[in-house]
Amino acid sequence: MSKIIYSFLIVLLCSSCSSETAEPTPTPTPESLYFPPLTGTTWETKSIASLGWKQSAVQPLLDYLQLKNSKSFIILVNGRIVMENYFNGHDATAFWYWASAGKTLTSTVTGIAQQENLININNKVSQYIGTGWTSLPLAKENLITNKHLLNMTSGLDDSTDDVDPASLKYKADAGTRWAYHNVYVKLQDVIAQASSQTWNSYFNTKLKDKIGMDGAWFQLGNNSVYGSNTRSMARFGLLIYNKGKWESNTIVNENYFNEATNTSQNINLGYGYLWWLNGKASYHLPQSQLQFNGSLIPTAPADMYMALGKNDQKIYVIPSKKMVVIRMGDAANPDNPTFALSDFDEVLWQKISALYQ
């Protein structure tokens, strides 16, 4: 009997030792998403080495940016600055224009106005700014909704950037034709009317001040253009990376954000609400009715969405890589200063992806 008890105690002891040594190793806590303070110049950084990226790929990227007339470049990972570089006399305090990359600011503020029940994007534009804002017959004008302005399917003639009524001519019924058009700017008038504020005032209160941006809107011909320093562009990119939230504060709700950054109509699969979308089966480009098969930027991650502006102003948001990438500057190819995509994007992404591949 004593032998049985002794054996039992040995088994129990071994079992106890086994359970102690088999304790699971604690799982590392995922790195938190960082947001810089709303004021000041403090911004956490992260090194290339700490990410396991290739230091040898940094200089070829910087050389290419310098060669292609860049003024500034930032990479954020999880909100922290991994690269921040300035070229050709530009610096962290200097302002530069966003060009059409700033369309995404208007898209975001439209979502804010909708969540505040000031507007509904499915309602016709004339409900907010009155009839006669185009030269179309009333029945055709009333087909155009705020959503058609967001997804570039107003059906208006896109041969001019003018947005006076005489220049806004009928080309097709709203929703049946995709064409890149400056008429999106009418959303700023819609929001001003609906909020009983100026566009600038509403924008500053609801977006700019809440994420610590600097900058201002200015008129450049027929275009409403935003200008800021590079970090302000990065702040906006970070907000969008976090699906419309700044820290725990919802600036624009996630439902609208998801609509804005996914295919918004069935003509140009590569376009959301003033956002360009990578990785789709086909896409259209500005000033063309041609459909191109494949991804907008084959060398870039398929889940990337983009704010793209003339002379290669860029905000790239890449959820799978926890990255936001900013580029400001003059046209990379002065002979082809496109409104959106250029061959610069493809080569630039070869250089960026060499950092981590």
Side-chain angles (χ1 to χ4, degrees), residues 102-116 118-119 121 150 187-188 190-192 195 198-208 213 217 236 239-240 251-252 256 260 273-275:
K103 285 179 169 67
T104 56
L105 294 170
T106 299
S107 169
T108 303
V109 174
T110 301
I112 295 169
Q114 177 167 263
Q115 76 191 23
E116 293 192 331
L118 295 176
I119 68 167
I121 62 170
L150 285 168
L187 288 165
Q188 297 181 4
V190 166
I191 291 164
S195 66
T198 65
W199 163 253
N200 282 336
S201 174
Y202 190 81
F203 170 83
N204 291 345
T205 304
K206 301 298 180 179
L207 180 56
K208 176 186 170 184
M213 291 173 66
W217 291 93
F236 178 64
L239 171 74
I240 297 304
I251 308 301
V252 61
Y256 179 85
Y273 293 166
L274 307 178
W275 285 95

Side-chain angles (χ1 to χ4, degrees), residues 123-228:
N123 290 348
K124 58 190 179 184
V125 175
S126 57
Q127 179 174 325
Y128 302 94
I129 61 174
T131 58
W133 64 276
T134 70
S135 66
L136 276 59
L138 186 58
K140 295 298 185 184
E141 181 179 276
N142 280 339
L143 294 176
I144 305 173
T145 66
N146 296 315
K147 187 182 283 189
H148 291 129
L149 301 188
L150 285 168
N151 64 27
M152 295 289 182
T153 60
S154 68
L156 295 165
D157 180 14
D158 55 311
S159 61
T160 175
D161 273 347
D162 294 340
V163 291
D164 59 285
S167 301
L168 297 177
K169 299 175 182 175
Y170 180 86
K171 192 81 174 180
D173 280 3
T176 65
R177 179 178 186 266
W178 188 91
Y180 197 74
H181 198 303
N182 191 42
V183 73
Y184 88 94
V185 78
K186 288 292 180 182
L187 288 165
Q188 297 181 4
D189 297 337
V190 166
I191 291 164
Q193 288 294 325
S195 66
S196 300
Q197 298 180 43
T198 65
W199 163 253
N200 282 336
S201 174
Y202 190 81
F203 170 83
N204 291 345
T205 304
K206 301 298 180 179
L207 180 56
K208 176 186 170 184
D209 297 345
K210 288 191 174 182
I211 65 172
M213 291 173 66
D214 66 9
W217 291 93
F218 60 95
Q219 282 299 125
L220 190 63
N222 297 301
N223 299 297
S224 180
V225 180
Y226 198 71
S228 76

Side-chain angles (χ1 to χ4, degrees), residues 316-334:
Y316 303 109
V317 181
I318 312 96
S320 62
K321 300 294 182 186
K322 302 181 179 179
M323 285 171 64
V324 173
V325 180
I326 307 296
R327 187 271 184 186
M328 287 178 147
D330 289 319
N333 181 358

Side-chain angles (χ1 to χ4, degrees), residues 34-152:
Y34 170 78
F35 293 87
L38 294 183
T39 57
T41 58
T42 301
W43 199 313
E44 283 187 15
T45 61
K46 197 164 180 64
S47 70
I48 293 283
S50 69
L51 289 165
W53 288 7
K54 298 186 183 82
Q55 188 65 46
S56 60
V58 172
Q59 198 56 51
L61 170 58
L62 294 177
D63 290 345
Y64 183 70
L65 289 162
Q66 175 88 46
L67 176 69
K68 292 298 184 178
N69 307 313
S70 302
K71 291 189 176 291
S72 58
F73 181 76
I74 288 178
I75 294 180
L76 305 181
V77 174
N78 246 341
R80 293 165 182 84
I81 293 174
V82 177
M83 291 181 68
E84 181 176 23
N85 302 90
Y86 297 93
F87 311 87
N88 302 312
H90 205 74
D91 61 34
T93 62
F95 277 31
W96 195 247
Y97 62 91
W98 292 33
S100 285
K103 285 179 169 67
T104 56
L105 294 170
T106 299
S107 169
T108 303
V109 174
T110 301
I112 295 169
Q114 177 167 263
Q115 76 191 23
E116 293 192 331
N117 295 316
L118 295 176
I119 68 167
N120 185 317
I121 62 170
N122 295 304
N123 290 348
K124 58 190 179 184
V125 175
S126 57
Q127 179 174 325
Y128 302 94
I129 61 174
T131 58
W133 64 276
T134 70
S135 66
L136 276 59
L138 186 58
K140 295 298 185 184
E141 181 179 276
N142 280 339
L143 294 176
I144 305 173
T145 66
N146 296 315
K147 187 182 283 189
H148 291 129
L149 301 188
L150 285 168
N151 64 27
M152 295 289 182

